[in-house]
Amino acid sequence: MKPQANAEGVRRNPPYVRPMAGWWTRNPFFVRYMVREVTAVAVWVYALVLTFGVLRLSQGEAAWNGWLEAMKSPASIVLHLVLLLGMVLHVHSWFEIMPKTMAPIIVGGERVSASRIQRTGWTVAVVVTLLVLALAVGSQS
Amino acid sequence: MAEPTQTIEIQVLRYRPEEETEPVWQSYQVPYTEDMSVLQGLQYIKDEIDGSVSFRWSCRMAICGSCGMMINRKPSLSCQTFLRDLAPGPVKVEALDHLPIERDLVVSVQPFVKKLESIKPYIIPKVKRELCEGEYLQTPAQLEKIEQFSSCINCMLCYAACPQFGLNPEFTGPGVLALLHRYNEDSRDGGREQRMEILNAEEGVWSCTAVGYCSEVCPKGVDPANAVNQNKINSALDYFIRFLPKKGA
């Protein structure tokens, strides 16, 4: 918009709209939000790795063993460590926001607190992880 | 009141539409006492140093919601932010983020007020009662469901905290959606159907990406992020429920 003149003939610039470029760098809260969004890529990449493994399994024993060998390479181990870090950050950031995404849960006339919802989330995540690990280790022996 | 013994630098982002095409910083040295708020610091500037500095205020006690501004980059009510907590300074004061600056610390509120009007922020009775029939009664549990959301004072700090509103000003936004929830969930209200269209729209709850900063900055302990995100479920149910056979059909 061009400056407009008012009744007294004084030219005025229109209300100033501030640019949004780089908005997420301006506040640590927004940086943490972006970490949550970006680490979703780790979840996606790991899902691709596993899907590819299932594909190789369907192609016979040689293909499956080749995939297993590839998983043991140093590059693959580094990738998995990076993906694991991304997953942990993703889980942490989602449990942080989880109480805000749910309708209130009332137990015995009291609303279940945000911290209790977060602790329950973490407990379930840890128990499921340990169960899967136990299953994996058990299947080796 | 004690005599001020110390001074603090307050930097104000100025925008005078007759003079500037974009905002500029201006610095003031303000003497302050332990009990002075940022708002009182600005009032000192206006009274004693520079009468041209513009800002809104009214009640000075976190009720009217007029004096919201960015203080050191955080959306805050200037009446309940104290200079002693920001010492030694400088204190950087700007108009609320994401809203067009009319002048200095004064932002345009028209779009917000239009959105607020659109959700019919009042109880639309399910069944109209005559005065002689008495009050519309509510149990403590029914009140509990809506009470925190009814504490909103329309200060717009949550809009300054919401990057999705900054990126898309058409987004209905946290405060208005929290009030929409407050009336939809009220046991005495029957206006839900009239409000669902606003809630279901792309600019309704679905523009929210659960950043959650709105709930952090609310000076009245309202949790707009919770109101908005609960209503994503309500909106989805509202969509799918149309496929169910109607009662008695």
Side-chain angles (χ1 to χ4, degrees), chain A residues 3 6 10-21 23-24 26-30 32-33 36-37 94 97-104 106 109-111, chain B residues 15 17-18 20-23 73 95-103 107-108 148 161 163-164 166-167 209-213 215-216 223 225-226 229-230 233:
Chain A
N6 66 8
V10 180
R11 287 166 73 82
R12 291 166 58 102
N13 289 307
Y16 186 80
V17 178
R18 286 157 285 180
M20 283 298 285
W23 62 269
W24 62 273
R26 294 180 209 152
N27 189 314
F29 199 97
F30 295 155
R32 287 205 296 280
Y33 162 74
R36 186 181 89 204
E37 299 295 290
W94 267 112
I97 195 81
M98 190 165 69
K100 294 201 189 308
T101 63
M102 304 164 69
I106 313 289
E110 292 273 318
R111 184 174 179 172
Chain B
Y15 177 62
E18 316 79 27
E20 286 130 358
T21 51
E22 56 183 66
R73 294 302 308 141
L96 283 176
D97 267 1
H98 310 148
L99 296 153
I101 306 177
E102 297 269 2
R103 175 182 296 274
V107 293
S108 313
Q148 61 129 326
Q164 293 301 345
L167 294 164
T209 57
V211 178
Y213 195 44
S215 300
E216 294 287 318
D223 189 349
N226 185 231
N229 285 284
Q230 283 188 56
I233 301 167

Side-chain angles (χ1 to χ4, degrees), chain B residues 44-68:
Chain B
Y44 179 88
I45 294 172
K46 192 166 178 78
D47 292 346
E48 308 290 338
I49 309 175
D50 183 349
S52 73
V53 175
S54 297
F55 51 96
R56 288 195 179 107
W57 63 278
S58 179
C59 77
R60 300 159 293 151
M61 53 182 93
I63 281 297
C64 74
S66 306
C67 70

